């Protein structure tokens, strides 16, 4: 028959007792009323069973007066693992009537039950088994799986409300005896199954209500967060709406101004048309009296009116072209200024980088000088250490020679002793004195030998230390060589950065010169435009020859008209070209005012 482990049997018995006590406590509490006091018998038996479970497998700790075996040590660990348990531990220590650690442990269990956190506290304790091993044996209940099962059973005690008075109760002298009569079955227990079913249903409802309450709390917190975010977004939208309203009001004012300007222009054109109509009507009335040439005069008036309308249309088109050219020139100026500012920023950044590189080079040069000085000192130390090692080797050789001589002397002494024993057996009394003297000499030689061995060991240790210092110095010299290489690399990078900086400065100087030239040209063009404003174009019929070369216009010599001064040149004489950022090809420029020329059809060609 296989023999069962007695500790396993103890654990199983304690687990069954814990199950019975917890189950009986819950059932009796639900039937009696959920709020219990300290005089309730099932509650007292529950604390006794828990005390036995926590005492199982406790290690015996030695104290000054006696051996100590208490459960207060592991329970005191809980406040380090679970910060919320600090309040219970502090209140237990402050209780005036408690004098023993066992009484403090019993008070701690009662306070944990009232807080409904006994399962949480013991779960934290079970998880840290490396800490529990200081208080419990490896086969203890708290170190095995039965402890985790008991912790799971303790979660069911959260349905009970306990109102326990710990202050006036004598917890130090209580005797923990389990009353098994409470757990024996009777006839009344058979009729209590329906009541147990009802209790289970009530507990399920309670758990459902608690879970529903947790979910509602989480949804309420999420809704609060959403309300806060919506309020923030609402305030932002209100601000954006106010800004948009202000923009709409400004746009309405601008629209109103433009409409008023449009009405003024329409009124002026209507007055002009009315005046021209009045003149035409007056001329018609005057010419009605004379019938001769009436049709010719009427046709001429219509022709003049068409020419004036055509001239007006041309003037409006020219005005639009000049406005667009002005905008293009302003854009080109802004782009040029922006490029200049960006180039200046890059120049400033490159100069800062150059200053930083110079500072790094100075630091590396100083470090190199310091490292060279340290290297010289370490080389001197290495030379001294080599001299010391040579001296130590010489002393080691001398010690080895002495050791060999001592061993030879010992061998000779042993041989003489053996001969003396064989030859002078009868003369023992006289020889005992000599033998004692020889033994003393032998002891002295052995002590000398030990001293020499210890000296040799110390010298070997010193030699090992010197070798380690030499290896450290070699490593430091290698690091110094690596620092030299890095310094040379940084110098090369510094040279490359200097070259790049010089190239960029030269490029920026060229760009600045070109920009200044283009700025001067643009200013000249503006001054010429201002000076030549108000001049009238020359009619195509009147312009038959180029103003510069005085040759007649044809298919090969096309007309180019200046926008400002109104002069007309041929394509051979207008060779001046100016590049613009808005046009892909260069534009022809007038020789007198430097304005842009427009190509027009020749008078000879339709």
């Amino acid at each position: 028959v296989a023999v069962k482990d007695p500790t396993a049997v103890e654990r199983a018995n304690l687990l069954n007792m814990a199950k019975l006590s917890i189950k009986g406590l819950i059932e009796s509490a639900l039937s009696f009323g959920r709020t219990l006091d300290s005089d309730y018998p099932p509650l007292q038996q529950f604390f006794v069973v828990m005390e036995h479970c926590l005492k199982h497998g406790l290690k015996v700790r030695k104290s000054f007066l006696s051996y100590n075996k208490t459960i207060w040590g592991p329970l005191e660990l809980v406040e380090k693992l679970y910060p919320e348990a600090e309040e219970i531990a502090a209140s237990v220590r402050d209780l005036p009537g408690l004098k023993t650690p066992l009484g403090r442990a019993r008070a701690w269990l009662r306070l944990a039950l009232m807080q409904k956190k006994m399962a949480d506290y013991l779960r934290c304790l079970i998880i840290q088994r490396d800490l529990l091993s200081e208080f419990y044996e490896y086969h203890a209940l708290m170190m095995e799986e039965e402890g985790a099962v008991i912790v799971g059973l303790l979660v069911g005690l959260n349905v009970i409300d306990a109102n326990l008075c710990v202050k006036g109760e004598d917890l130090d002298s209580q005797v923990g005896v389990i009353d098994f009569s409470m757990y024996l079955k009777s006839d009344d227990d058979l009729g209590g199954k329906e009541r147990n079913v009802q209790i289970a249903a009530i507990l399920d409802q309670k758990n459902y209500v608690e879970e529903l309450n947790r979910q509602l709390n989480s949804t309420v917190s999420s809704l609060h967060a959403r309300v806060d975010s919506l309020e923030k977004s609402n305030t932002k939208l209100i601000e954006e709406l106010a800004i948009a309203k202000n923009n709409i009001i400004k746009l309405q004012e601008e629209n109103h101004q433009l409409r008023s300007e449009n009405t003024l222009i329409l009124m002026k054109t209507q007055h002009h048309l009315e005046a021209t109509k009045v003149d035409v009507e007056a001329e018609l009335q005057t010419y009605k009296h004379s019938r001769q040439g009436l049709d010719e005069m009427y046709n001429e008036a219509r022709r003049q009116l068409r020419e004036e309308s055509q001239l007006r249309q041309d003037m409006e088109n020219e005005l639009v072209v000049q406005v667009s050219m002005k905008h293009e020139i302003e854009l080109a100026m802004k782009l040029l200024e922006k490029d200049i500012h960006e180039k200046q920023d890059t120049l400033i950044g490159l100069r800062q980088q150059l200053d930083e590189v110079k500072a790094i080079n100075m630091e590396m040069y100083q470090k190199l000088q310091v490292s060279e000085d340290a290297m010289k000192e370490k080389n001197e130390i290495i030379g001294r250490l080599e001299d010391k090692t040579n001296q130590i080797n010489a002393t080691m050789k001398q010690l080895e020679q002495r050791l060999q001589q001592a061993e030879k002397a010992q061998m000779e002494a042993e041989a003489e002793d053996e001969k003396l024993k064989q030859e002078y057996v009868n003369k023992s009394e006289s020889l005992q004195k000599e033998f004692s003297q020889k033994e003393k000499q032998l002891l002295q030689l052995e002590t000398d030998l030990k001293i020499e061995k210890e000296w040799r060991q110390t010298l070997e240790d010193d030699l090992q230390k010197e070798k380690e210092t030499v290896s450290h110095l070699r490593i430091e010299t290698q690091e110094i060589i690596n620092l030299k290489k890095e310094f040379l690399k940084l110098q090369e990078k510094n040279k490359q950065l200097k070259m790049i900086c010089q190239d960029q400065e030269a490029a920026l100087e060229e760009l600045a010169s070109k920009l200044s030239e283009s700025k001067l040209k643009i200013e000249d063009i503006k001054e010429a435009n201002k000076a030549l404003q108000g001049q009238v174009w020359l009619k195509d019929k009147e312009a038959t020859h180029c103003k510069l070369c005085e040759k007649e216009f044809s298919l090969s010599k096309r007309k180019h008209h200046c926008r400002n001064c109104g002069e007309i040149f041929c394509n051979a004489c207008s060779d001046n070209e100016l590049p613009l950022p808005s046009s892909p090809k260069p534009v022809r420029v007038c020789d007198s005012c430097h304005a842009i020329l427009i190509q027009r059809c020749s008078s000879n060609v339709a």
Side-chain angles (χ1 to χ4, degrees):
V1 179
V3 179
K4 291 185 178 180
D5 188 5
T7 56
V9 174
E10 290 174 2
R11 289 198 301 271
N13 292 332
L14 287 171
L15 178 61
N16 292 326
M17 284 306 302
K19 287 180 182 178
L20 288 171
S21 64
I22 292 167
K23 183 180 177 183
L25 180 60
I26 293 169
E27 290 176 355
S28 60
L30 292 174
S31 61
F32 174 72
R34 295 197 180 187
T35 304
L36 306 177
D37 54 1
S38 58
D39 295 332
Y40 192 58
L43 186 61
Q44 291 178 356
Q45 286 298 310
F46 165 72
F47 285 126
V48 172
V49 172
M50 284 303 300
E51 187 177 339
H52 280 281
C53 291
L54 290 170
K55 280 183 178 179
H56 184 261
L58 262 177
K59 290 182 179 178
V60 178
R61 293 202 164 198
K62 292 182 180 179
S63 63
F64 290 106
L65 301 174
S66 63
Y67 292 97
N68 190 9
K69 187 177 182 181
T70 180
I71 59 173
W72 174 240
L75 293 178
E76 201 173 6
L77 277 175
V78 177
E79 62 177 333
K80 297 178 182 177
L81 303 174
Y82 204 85
E84 293 181 6
E86 292 178 357
E87 186 178 355
I88 294 177
S91 60
V92 167
R93 292 190 191 98
D94 294 337
L95 284 172
L98 299 177
K99 297 179 182 179
T100 61
L102 184 59
R104 294 191 190 97
R106 288 170 178 169
W108 189 91
L109 289 173
R110 283 158 176 75
L111 291 174
L113 182 65
M114 283 194 286
Q115 276 192 346
K116 296 184 180 180
K117 289 186 178 180
M118 186 186 288
D120 297 333
Y121 294 156
L122 293 178
R123 189 189 301 115
C124 292
L125 195 62
I126 285 170
I127 291 168
Q128 302 291 332
R129 293 194 177 180
D130 53 348
L131 296 175
L132 278 179
S133 61
E134 296 178 2
F135 300 96
Y136 288 100
E137 301 290 343
Y138 68 94
H139 57 77
L141 178 71
M142 298 296 287
M143 299 290 287
E144 296 293 336
E145 294 179 357
E146 286 84 353
V149 175
I150 290 171
V151 170
L153 293 171
L154 290 173
V155 178
L157 295 176
N158 293 335
V159 299
I160 298 171
D161 294 328
N163 188 7
L164 307 176
C165 183
V166 184
K167 191 172 182 181
E169 193 173 356
D170 187 12
L171 299 174
D172 294 327
S173 61
Q174 285 183 1
V175 180
V177 179
I178 300 173
D179 188 6
F180 292 99
S181 63
M182 297 177 64
Y183 307 111
L184 297 175
K185 288 186 178 180
S186 62
D187 296 332
D188 296 331
D189 295 333
L190 299 174
K193 290 184 178 179
E194 296 179 356
R195 187 178 63 188
N196 292 333
V197 172
Q198 292 176 359
I199 289 165
I202 291 166
L203 288 173
D204 292 336
Q205 289 177 1
K206 180 182 178 293
N207 292 328
Y208 172 73
V209 169
E210 287 179 352
E211 186 65 28
L212 187 63
N213 192 11
R214 287 196 197 96
Q215 291 179 359
L216 288 172
N217 287 327
S218 64
T219 52
V220 165
S221 62
S222 64
L223 287 171
H224 280 303
R226 286 183 66 186
V227 165
D228 294 334
S229 64
L230 287 171
E231 285 178 355
K232 289 179 182 177
S233 62
N234 192 9
T235 53
K236 287 181 181 177
L237 288 171
I238 289 165
E239 291 175 357
E240 290 177 357
L241 182 63
I243 293 164
K245 283 181 179 178
N246 293 327
N247 291 328
I248 288 164
I249 291 164
K250 289 179 182 178
L251 290 171
Q252 285 177 355
E253 290 177 355
E254 289 178 358
N255 192 5
H256 184 67
Q257 289 178 1
L258 291 170
R259 283 182 178 176
S260 62
E261 290 176 358
N262 194 5
T263 52
L264 289 170
I265 291 164
L266 285 171
M267 291 290 290
K268 287 179 181 179
T269 53
Q270 284 177 0
H271 285 304
H272 185 65
L273 287 170
E274 286 175 359
T276 53
K277 283 179 182 179
V278 169
D279 293 335
V280 170
E281 287 176 357
E283 287 177 359
L284 284 171
Q285 287 177 3
T286 54
Y287 284 116
K288 276 180 183 178
H289 299 288
S290 59
R291 293 177 180 177
Q292 294 177 354
L294 185 63
D295 295 331
E296 293 178 358
M297 293 298 292
Y298 180 70
N299 292 326
E300 190 175 356
R302 287 182 68 186
R303 185 177 58 77
Q304 287 179 358
L305 183 62
R306 286 176 184 172
E307 287 179 356
E308 285 179 358
S309 61
Q310 185 67 33
L311 283 170
R312 183 183 171 197
Q313 189 68 31
D314 293 338
M315 289 294 290
E316 287 179 355
N317 293 329
E318 185 64 27
L319 182 63
V320 171
V321 171
Q322 284 183 359
V323 169
S324 64
M325 288 299 298
K326 186 178 179 183
H327 285 303
E328 288 177 356
I329 290 165
E330 288 177 354
L331 285 170
M333 288 292 292
K334 287 178 181 178
L335 290 169
L336 288 170
E337 289 176 357
K338 192 175 181 181
D339 292 334
I340 288 165
H341 288 305
E342 288 177 355
K343 299 286 175 50
Q344 287 177 355
D345 293 335
T346 52
L347 258 176
I348 291 163
L350 288 169
R351 283 172 182 168
Q352 289 177 357
Q353 289 179 1
L354 186 61
D355 294 334
E356 290 176 358
V357 170
K358 285 179 180 178
I360 290 164
N361 286 333
M362 288 298 292
E363 289 179 1
M364 292 300 293
Y365 182 70
Q366 291 174 0
K367 287 181 181 178
L368 182 62
Q369 286 182 349
V370 172
S371 61
E372 285 179 353
D373 296 334
M375 192 173 174
K376 287 178 182 177
E377 292 177 357
K378 287 173 183 177
N379 288 325
E380 292 176 357
I381 292 164
I382 288 166
R384 292 172 187 171
L385 290 171
E386 287 177 354
D387 296 334
K388 283 184 180 179
T389 50
N390 293 325
Q391 292 175 2
I392 289 163
N393 289 323
T395 53
M396 287 286 290
K397 288 179 181 178
Q398 291 176 2
L399 288 171
E400 286 177 356
Q401 289 175 0
R402 288 182 183 177
L403 184 64
Q404 289 176 0
Q405 290 174 2
E407 286 177 353
K408 287 179 181 179
Q410 187 179 2
M411 293 292 290
E412 290 175 355
E414 287 177 355
E416 287 177 358
D417 288 336
E418 288 177 358
K419 288 178 182 179
L420 288 169
K421 283 179 182 179
Q422 290 176 2
E423 291 176 356
Y424 300 105
V425 174
N426 298 324
K427 296 178 182 180
S428 59
E429 292 179 357
S430 61
L431 291 173
Q432 277 179 356
K433 294 179 182 179
E434 294 178 0
F435 184 70
S436 62
Q437 289 177 359
K438 295 290 182 180
E439 280 182 350
K440 288 178 182 179
Q441 289 178 0
L442 183 62
L443 289 170
Q444 286 178 358
L445 289 170
E446 285 178 354
T447 52
D448 294 334
L449 186 62
K450 286 180 182 179
I451 291 163
E452 288 178 355
K453 283 182 179 179
E454 289 175 357
W455 190 26
R456 182 179 180 183
Q457 188 67 32
T458 53
L459 288 172
E460 286 179 354
D461 294 335
D462 293 333
L463 183 63
Q464 187 67 29
K465 288 179 182 178
E466 296 294 333
K467 285 181 180 179
E468 288 176 357
T469 52
V470 169
S471 63
H472 285 303
L473 290 170
R474 285 176 182 171
I475 291 164
E476 288 178 356
T477 52
Q478 189 66 32
E479 289 178 354
I480 290 163
I481 291 164
N482 293 327
L483 284 170
K484 279 184 178 180
K485 290 180 180 178
E486 289 178 358
F487 179 70
L488 292 172
K489 288 180 182 178
L490 286 171
Q491 280 184 344
E492 290 177 358
K493 286 183 181 178
N494 187 12
K495 288 179 182 178
Q496 291 176 0
L497 288 170
K498 281 182 179 178
M499 293 293 290
I500 291 164
C501 185
Q502 289 175 2
D503 294 337
Q504 288 178 353
E505 285 179 353
L508 287 170
E509 287 176 358
E510 290 177 1
L511 283 170
S513 63
K514 287 182 180 179
L515 287 170
S516 62
E517 289 175 1
S518 61
K519 228 176 191 180
L520 291 170
K521 284 183 181 179
I522 288 163
E523 288 177 356
D524 294 336
I525 289 165
K526 283 183 180 179
E527 289 175 358
N529 286 335
K530 288 179 183 177
L532 296 170
Q533 279 179 359
Q535 293 187 6
V536 184
W537 280 21
L538 191 64
K539 293 181 180 179
D540 287 338
K541 292 180 180 180
E542 296 177 0
T544 57
H545 292 78
C546 178
K547 189 178 178 182
L548 293 175
C549 62
E550 296 182 356
K551 292 181 181 179
E552 190 176 357
F553 293 114
S554 63
L555 285 171
S556 60
K557 291 181 178 277
R558 292 184 298 278
K559 293 180 181 181
H560 289 275
H561 198 285
C562 180
R563 294 187 177 188
N564 291 323
C565 63
E567 298 294 340
I568 297 173
F569 303 98
C570 63
N571 56 355
C573 295
S574 57
D575 291 334
N576 293 327
E577 293 181 349
L578 180 67
L580 285 177
S582 60
S583 63
K585 295 180 180 179
V587 183
R588 295 181 182 275
V589 180
C590 179
D591 291 328
S592 59
C593 65
H594 299 287
I596 296 169
L597 297 177
I598 300 170
Q599 184 177 348
R600 302 184 67 179
C601 294
S602 173
S603 61
N604 299 329
V605 182

